[in-house]
Amino acid sequence: MSGFWQDGSVLEALANWMHRGNNTRELSIIRSSWRSLDDLLEAYQPMPSFDDMAWYGMAYARIYELLRNQLGKDADKFGGTASDIFKWIEKHGWDTAKNSSGWCGGGFWWDSNKDFKATITNVQMIYLGAKLHNLLPDKDPSYLQVANRTWNWVEARGIIDPATTLLANAVSLKTCNCSDSSTPWTCLLYTSPSPRDS
């Protein structure tokens, strides 16, 4: 669905802008943007890509983090849905195949076709898991466990170029690493500390 993931990332940018500018003019936009996990899944049928859903999870977590005082009791809806999204992606997106060569022994699929393991989905889940663990009052250890498991998988697959800290765009399902592409370092993102350093 065109525009779905962009809506999620724009919400996070709007929350950041409101926080930075110390204003609440757009609070009604933020408040009306909340959707439950079921609403988001219905809006993006038949099955959203896992990275698209993660954009919403990250946006809702950021809204909860920055604007919970301004949102009052509505803030918990954003935090709760961020958690719901994270758990949904973990349940449906993590590769549970036991063989270490056929599907690369774990990692998050990009979408329900399960034919591509994009770096972005895995990085989003590291970020979102660490953020939710540190942000939500229950300090649920499963968030950090998923983030660490994903971080370990990313490291083991050679997704991060040790010389430049650039990230490969994806993992080859043939070799389970990033070395079979003539230009593997296409995703110009930099890494953050491991979630275990949080």
Side-chain angles (χ1 to χ4, degrees):
M1 170 180 278
S2 178
F4 184 84
W5 73 267
Q6 293 96 332
D7 292 346
S9 62
V10 165
L11 285 173
E12 183 173 358
L14 181 58
N16 287 332
W17 178 79
M18 289 172 62
H19 178 72
R20 178 86 172 150
N22 195 27
N23 75 69
T24 57
R25 284 186 311 213
E26 284 76 21
L27 197 58
S28 64
I29 295 170
I30 294 290
R31 203 180 296 277
S32 66
S33 73
W34 176 81
R35 301 290 182 269
S36 69
L37 173 62
D38 289 339
D39 290 340
L40 291 169
L41 293 172
E42 185 177 338
Y44 197 162
Q45 288 193 18
M47 181 70 123
S49 63
F50 301 119
D51 75 314
D52 287 0
M53 290 297 287
W55 289 115
Y56 271 91
M58 293 188 314
Y60 283 1
R62 189 68 169 157
I63 289 166
Y64 177 82
E65 178 182 27
L66 296 179
L67 303 175
R68 67 181 145 205
N69 291 335
Q70 294 92 328
L71 288 169
K73 63 181 179 168
D74 288 337
D76 289 340
K77 295 191 301 190
F78 286 94
T81 301
S83 174
D84 291 344
I85 290 168
F86 180 84
K87 291 174 182 177
W88 180 84
I89 296 169
E90 202 276 328
K91 179 179 178 182
H92 298 282
W94 182 260
D95 182 4
T96 58
K98 299 294 182 196
N99 62 338
S100 62
S101 60
W103 298 114
C104 308
F108 282 97
W109 294 106
W110 184 62
D111 64 16
S112 61
N113 292 327
K114 298 186 176 181
D115 59 3
F116 184 65
K117 290 190 180 176
T119 298
I120 189 64
T121 313
N122 289 281
V123 171
Q124 288 171 316
M125 290 299 283
I126 293 168
Y127 173 85
L128 188 54
K131 179 171 276 297
L132 291 173
H133 176 266
N134 291 330
L135 187 61
L136 296 181
D138 64 359
K139 301 290 183 202
D140 184 341
S142 68
Y143 300 125
L144 200 54
Q145 290 165 358
V146 171
N148 279 320
R149 181 183 71 202
T150 309
W151 176 264
N152 291 335
W153 185 84
V154 164
E155 282 189 315
R157 298 293 157 238
I159 291 174
I160 305 166
D161 181 338
T164 64
T165 67
L166 293 177
L167 303 178
N169 189 47
V171 170
S172 166
L173 297 181
K174 294 177 188 170
T175 64
C176 294
N177 63 41
C178 305
S179 64
D180 69 337
S181 172
S182 60
T183 56
W185 311 109
T186 59
C187 195
L188 301 178
L189 301 173
Y190 291 92
T191 60
S192 298
S194 165
R196 68 178 81 100
D197 297 334
S198 300

